[in-house]
Amino acid sequence: MVSSFRVSELQVLLGFAGRNKSGRKHELLLRALHLLRSGCSPAVQIKIKELYRRRYPRTFDGLQDLAALKSNFLQQQQQQHLVSCDSPVFHESKPMMNMQQPTPLMAPVHPDVQMKSLPFYDVLDVLIKPSSLGTHAGQRYHHEKYFIFALTPQQVREVCISRDFLPGGRRDYMVQIQLRFCLAETSCPQEDNFPNSLCIKVNGKLFPLPGYAPPPKNGVEQKRPGRPLNITSLVRLSSAVPNQIVVTWAPEIGKTYSMSVYLVRQLTSPLLLQRLRMKGIRNPDHSRALIKEKLTADPDSEIATTSLRVSLMCPLGKMRLTVPCRAVTCSHLQCFDAALYLQMNEKKPTWICPVCDKKATYESLIIDGLFMEILNDCTDVDEIKFQEDGTWCPMRPKKETLKVSSSCIPKIDLVPPPETSSTKKGDVIDLTLESSSDDEEDSDPPLKKRCVYMSKEEMHNKGFVY
């Protein structure tokens, strides 16, 4: 109730309790909440409920002690003789007293919302349970809600000892305070999802949100990619002073969001790889059965597949596999390297299989035992072929085939090179002259000499090419 009060209502409440009522809204709210936690008198509790009833008269019906408050109110009215039995005020309150199970008009404060687990974070504690970002009648365009949480001395110690200084003087914490948003849906675990026009302030300081995703092609409104927010740098690491979060957002028709805060420990890709190894290796017989199933002849198919070629290279790094794995939801035999896959998702978590482009979450990954055996047996082969019975054989590299074909090239080079064109022409002319008829002696040999000793100008004029 107090978290939903405006500045004027907070000032009335603090003035009624004899507390300082000057300052900004978040300061007034902290004083009011501290007043509640320190144990306020019954008069202050009645004042809080009265202020709440004035602002939300319809939702006030669902309070637990509503009947007692109404009876006290009616007794006071009757004693002061301000209203009679025929007064419209009495008639308005009478049906309210008869309602034993009022219809809830506001979203539950703590809905039964479950967030999807994040592989790179271990949840140590829940600081704020998933809380609905409900709408209020007085807020039309942008809605605002306040949240308060405090750390225990043990939690403060865990955060402080996990601090690591990065280049440039920046600080990074392995134990973090994490803020998450999602849709207020209880049907299944929810992924991170930000409301529209979201604005977050932690202890009065604006928290920078991640950038918008590339604009879609179909003209849908641009949204920020959902991800957890690390607000550790703006949190007061003290157990004596509480922390305040102010959330402002734009409502969407038919959608209600939820916000929660967790104390988490950030993990690294080598640690996740170690956990994946500890999960175990899938039995090689499982992959052999999958191979036989893929190579079983289909009577309805015109083409029979008798073998299946699979690469031992990772599609991510284009290098030889070291830890072959794939998701249990994948139907292909091709594996990818687990270390590279985890490193890629540590920088940008997508969890998409690089072979079939389907979801491959960390929980569904499994190391393939058959490919582990193949990698250990074949150290110089990058491709193998599976047979119908589940056996395999290495594929010969293409380099050896090229060597065999190149061995034939020297034989072609042994053929003697042809003679020069002038020599061939001379031989042809001599043979023609020798094979001529008896008129050889009658021929005029000086004609040949005459052509040889022809001047250059005459050769050029007559068009000879020599």
Side-chain angles (χ1 to χ4, degrees):
M1 294 181 187
V2 173
S3 298
S4 64
F5 283 174
R6 293 170 294 190
V7 174
S8 59
E9 293 155 351
L10 291 172
Q11 289 176 344
V12 170
L13 175 62
L14 292 173
F16 180 81
R19 302 296 178 90
N20 183 11
K21 57 180 182 179
S22 62
R24 296 185 178 181
K25 182 176 180 179
H26 70 276
E27 298 174 350
L28 299 176
L29 182 61
L30 287 175
R31 291 186 202 135
L33 293 175
H34 182 70
L35 177 65
L36 285 177
R37 292 182 178 179
S38 61
C40 57
S41 62
V44 175
Q45 295 181 9
I46 294 176
K47 189 66 176 178
I48 293 173
K49 294 168 184 176
E50 179 185 349
L51 293 171
Y52 189 82
R53 179 181 59 81
R54 289 179 181 177
R55 186 172 183 186
Y56 307 110
R58 298 176 63 186
T59 58
F60 189 72
D61 302 348
L63 294 176
Q64 185 176 1
D65 54 347
L66 181 61
L69 288 172
K70 288 176 181 174
S71 61
N72 293 334
F73 174 76
L74 291 176
Q75 289 176 4
Q76 292 175 4
Q77 296 294 336
Q78 290 173 0
Q79 290 174 2
Q80 296 176 4
H81 302 284
L82 295 178
V83 294
S84 62
C85 294
D86 297 329
S87 173
V89 176
F90 183 81
H91 288 293
E92 288 179 3
S93 60
K94 186 175 181 180
M96 294 172 63
M97 295 192 313
N98 295 331
M99 295 176 61
Q100 297 180 356
Q101 295 180 352
T103 304
L105 300 176
M106 292 184 62
V109 178
H110 295 293
D112 190 16
V113 175
Q114 291 184 355
M115 297 289 297
K116 276 193 173 181
S117 61
L118 301 174
F120 285 98
Y121 298 96
D122 281 343
V123 178
L124 303 179
D125 204 350
V126 179
L127 302 179
I128 297 180
K129 296 180 180 180
S131 305
S132 291
L133 301 180
T135 59
H136 300 297
Q139 300 173 346
R140 296 181 58 186
Y141 301 107
H142 285 80
H143 294 187
E144 188 178 75
K145 196 163 186 180
Y146 292 77
F147 297 91
I148 302 291
F149 72 93
L151 300 175
T152 64
Q154 178 63 25
Q155 293 170 347
V156 173
R157 181 176 177 276
E158 289 183 359
V159 175
C160 292
I161 64 176
S162 70
R163 182 175 57 184
D164 188 16
F165 289 95
L166 301 177
R170 295 186 298 111
R171 293 179 299 176
D172 189 22
Y173 296 90
M174 298 304 293
V175 176
Q176 305 170 358
I177 290 89
Q178 190 178 82
L179 177 64
R180 300 184 69 180
F181 292 86
C182 71
L183 289 172
E185 298 288 342
T186 59
S187 57
C188 60
Q190 296 296 306
E191 295 181 348
D192 292 86
N193 198 341
F194 291 141
N196 284 338
S197 304
L198 179 65
C199 180
I200 302 173
K201 287 186 178 180
V202 181
N203 294 322
K205 295 182 180 179
L206 188 65
F207 181 81
L209 295 174
Y212 285 95
K217 297 180 180 179
N218 55 3
V220 180
E221 185 180 357
Q222 203 174 16
K223 291 203 69 173
R224 301 180 189 273
R227 65 183 64 175
L229 304 176
N230 179 16
I231 61 173
T232 314
S233 59
L234 300 181
V235 171
R236 300 188 183 102
L237 298 179
S238 171
S239 59
V241 184
N243 294 274
Q244 183 194 50
I245 300 177
V246 182
V247 180
T248 307
W249 76 99
E252 298 180 56
I253 299 176
K255 289 185 179 180
T256 306
Y257 289 86
S258 175
M259 190 214 77
S260 51
V261 181
Y262 304 91
L263 183 71
V264 300
R265 184 184 302 276
Q266 188 176 9
L267 308 177
T268 59
S269 55
L271 182 57
L272 287 187
L273 180 61
Q274 181 181 356
R275 292 185 179 183
L276 182 61
R277 291 178 182 272
M278 294 173 60
K279 191 194 301 186
I281 300 176
R282 170 169 282 184
N283 195 313
D285 293 336
H286 186 278
S287 297
R288 292 191 182 97
L290 184 60
I291 295 167
K292 294 178 182 179
E293 181 182 350
K294 287 183 174 294
L295 296 179
T296 300
D298 188 0
D300 298 333
S301 177
E302 298 179 356
I303 302 175
T305 305
T306 58
S307 62
L308 187 64
R309 298 176 65 171
V310 179
S311 175
L312 299 180
M313 306 291 289
C314 176
L316 289 172
K318 306 301 180 185
M319 297 185 297
R320 186 179 172 85
L321 294 169
T322 55
V323 186
C325 80
R326 62 174 176 269
V328 293
T329 54
C330 295
S331 59
H332 51 79
L333 282 171
Q334 179 67 51
C335 294
F336 50 85
D337 192 79
L340 291 177
Y341 185 70
L342 293 175
Q343 290 175 12
M344 179 187 70
N345 284 279
E346 185 176 14
K347 295 179 180 179
K348 185 179 180 181
T350 57
W351 302 105
I352 299 296
C353 175
V355 180
C356 63
D357 293 331
K358 295 181 180 179
K359 275 289 184 181
T361 59
Y362 176 74
E363 293 78 12
S364 64
L365 297 181
I366 192 70
I367 300 176
D368 193 289
L370 178 60
F371 276 82
M372 288 292 292
E373 293 180 358
I374 295 172
L375 290 170
N376 293 331
D377 293 343
C378 293
T379 58
D380 57 347
V381 176
D382 296 335
E383 193 175 15
I384 59 172
K385 182 172 67 174
F386 288 108
Q387 304 295 341
E388 294 183 64
D389 57 354
T391 59
W392 60 273
C393 62
M395 297 295 295
R396 187 180 296 277
K398 295 182 179 180
K399 294 181 180 180
E400 296 183 5
T401 308
L402 293 174
K403 289 180 181 179
V404 174
S405 60
S406 63
S407 61
C408 301
I409 296 176
K411 295 182 180 180
I412 300 174
D413 295 337
L414 293 177
V415 179
E419 299 291 337
T420 60
S421 59
S422 61
T423 308
K424 280 188 174 182
K425 289 183 178 180
D427 294 343
V428 172
I429 293 172
D430 293 339
L431 290 174
T432 306
L433 294 174
E434 291 176 0
S435 60
S436 62
S437 60
D438 295 334
D439 297 336
E440 179 183 358
E441 296 178 357
D442 299 337
S443 63
D444 192 5
L447 293 174
K448 187 177 179 181
K449 295 180 180 179
R450 195 178 304 162
C451 294
V452 173
Y453 293 102
M454 188 178 295
S455 63
K456 294 183 179 179
E457 295 179 0
E458 293 177 352
M459 291 173 61
H460 179 72
N461 295 332
K462 291 184 179 182
F464 282 98
V465 180
Y466 200 60

